[in-house]
């Protein structure tokens, strides 16, 4: 009888995304524990008997394993890794599942007929069925999830490009009279090459110069 929680027994792509999901959960402050990965037909039959021929509540409607099957390795179950609160906090499951769904996993909590909050599987966005898995027809490789990151250098380059482009934009017509007055009074003198950059942002350094010119104009 096989009933494992070993992530390494999952298909390689699902296993790798499971590990990355665990990292994302930890970063989000979610204490997650993987409780089951693969199982064989004997153990699935044992689970199926619970609530039917064995005492306990029904935990599955499938007499044979599909996504959890040892020949598939496409699903895993999880719980909250806090003693006494493993399955009591629905908000925890929704938060952990939200991260998994961003990565492409399907969540058992979304099932209408038999919601399964601790269950995650790769079914290629719902395009694969239990019947296909039973026939050993498996979904394509799951894309490995990558966090979108931006280095400070990239951000700086993007900001510089944006500021340069903004400074090259033409000023609005409604400010023409005020601009002409400011230029005539010497308050706005532009860059060394005479570029006015009217749509650019004003730094504190530039603001200090403008205020000084204005005060001198008022005192003259």
């Amino acid at each position: 009888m096989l009933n494992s929680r070993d992530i390494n027994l999952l298909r390689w792509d699902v296993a790798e995304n499971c590990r990355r999901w665990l990292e994302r959960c930890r970063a989000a402050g979610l204490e997650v524990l993987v409780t089951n990965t693969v199982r064989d037909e004997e153990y699935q039959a044992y689970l199926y008997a619970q609530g039917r021929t064995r005492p306990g509540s029904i935990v599955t409607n499938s007499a044979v394993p599909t996504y959890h099957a040892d020949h598939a390795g496409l699903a895993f179950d999880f719980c909250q890794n806090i003693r006494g609160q493993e399955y009591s906090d629905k908000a925890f499951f929704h938060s952990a599942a939200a991260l998994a769904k961003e990565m492409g996993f399907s969540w058992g909590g979304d099932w209408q007929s038999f919601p399964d909050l601790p269950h995650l599987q790769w079914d290629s966005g719902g395009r694969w069925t239990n019947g296909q898995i039973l026939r050993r027809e498996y979904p394509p490789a799951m894309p490995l999830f990558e966090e979108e990151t931006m280095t400070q250098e990239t951000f700086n380059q993007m900001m510089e490009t944006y500021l340069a482009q903004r400074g090259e934009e033409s000023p609005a017509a409604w400010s023409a009279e005020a601009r002409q007055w400011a230029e005539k009074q010497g308050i706005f003198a532009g860059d060394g090459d005479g570029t006015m950059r009217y749509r650019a942002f004003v730094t504190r350094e530039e603001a200090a110069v403008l205020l000084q010119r204005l005060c001198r104009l008022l005192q003259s």
Side-chain angles (χ1 to χ4, degrees):
M1 184 181 295
L2 174 64
N3 174 37
S4 178
R5 63 173 59 182
D6 187 353
I7 295 174
N8 292 321
L9 295 181
L10 295 170
R11 201 174 74 176
W12 72 270
D13 51 326
V14 178
E16 181 57 29
N17 276 317
C18 177
R19 297 186 188 97
R20 297 185 185 192
W21 170 73
L22 288 171
E23 292 176 0
R24 299 186 75 210
C25 287
R26 283 192 287 270
L30 299 171
E31 298 291 335
V32 176
L33 175 67
V34 172
T35 60
N36 182 252
T37 54
V38 300
R39 61 183 70 138
D40 60 13
E41 292 189 6
E42 184 180 2
Y43 186 75
Q44 186 70 32
Y46 175 80
L47 287 179
Y48 185 75
Q50 182 172 317
R52 295 180 174 88
T53 59
R54 286 195 306 110
S57 302
I58 291 177
V59 293
T60 181
N61 281 334
S62 178
V64 291
T66 53
Y67 289 88
H68 275 293
D70 53 357
H71 60 78
L74 298 168
F76 56 91
D77 295 336
F78 67 99
C79 73
Q80 184 169 214
N81 194 18
I82 300 176
R83 185 178 296 277
Q85 301 179 40
E86 289 85 352
Y87 298 97
S88 61
D89 187 355
K90 288 186 177 181
F92 160 80
F93 286 100
H94 280 272
S95 297
L99 295 176
K101 289 165 67 174
E102 289 177 358
M103 301 172 67
F105 285 110
S106 292
W107 179 41
D110 290 327
W111 297 343
Q112 297 299 314
S113 59
F114 195 85
D116 190 359
L117 272 65
H119 180 86
L120 293 167
Q121 67 184 36
W122 167 243
D123 53 20
S124 191
R127 290 189 290 272
W128 250 250
T129 66
N130 289 340
Q132 287 174 293
I133 303 302
L134 290 173
R135 293 193 299 270
R136 305 204 175 198
E137 300 171 4
Y138 307 126
M142 183 179 186
L144 298 182
F145 180 79
E146 297 286 351
E147 294 279 7
E148 292 186 5
T149 58
M150 180 181 294
T151 65
Q152 186 65 49
E153 181 181 4
T154 299
F155 174 80
N156 291 345
Q157 291 175 346
M158 292 177 63
M159 181 58 72
E160 288 177 5
T161 299
Y162 167 72
L163 293 175
Q165 292 175 343
R166 185 178 178 88
E168 294 173 358
E169 295 178 4
S170 300
W174 56 264
S175 64
E177 182 180 352
R179 286 186 282 108
Q180 291 171 3
W181 176 85
E183 291 178 25
K184 184 178 180 179
Q185 300 301 323
I187 298 174
F188 286 167
D191 294 339
D193 59 0
T195 304
M196 302 305 295
R197 297 188 306 117
Y198 273 113
R199 300 289 291 176
F201 294 114
V202 177
T203 65
R204 292 189 179 186
E205 183 179 31
E206 292 169 332
V209 173
L210 294 176
L211 289 172
Q212 183 187 56
R213 290 174 181 171
L214 179 60
C215 288
R216 286 177 175 174
L217 175 65
L218 294 174
Q219 293 171 358
S220 61

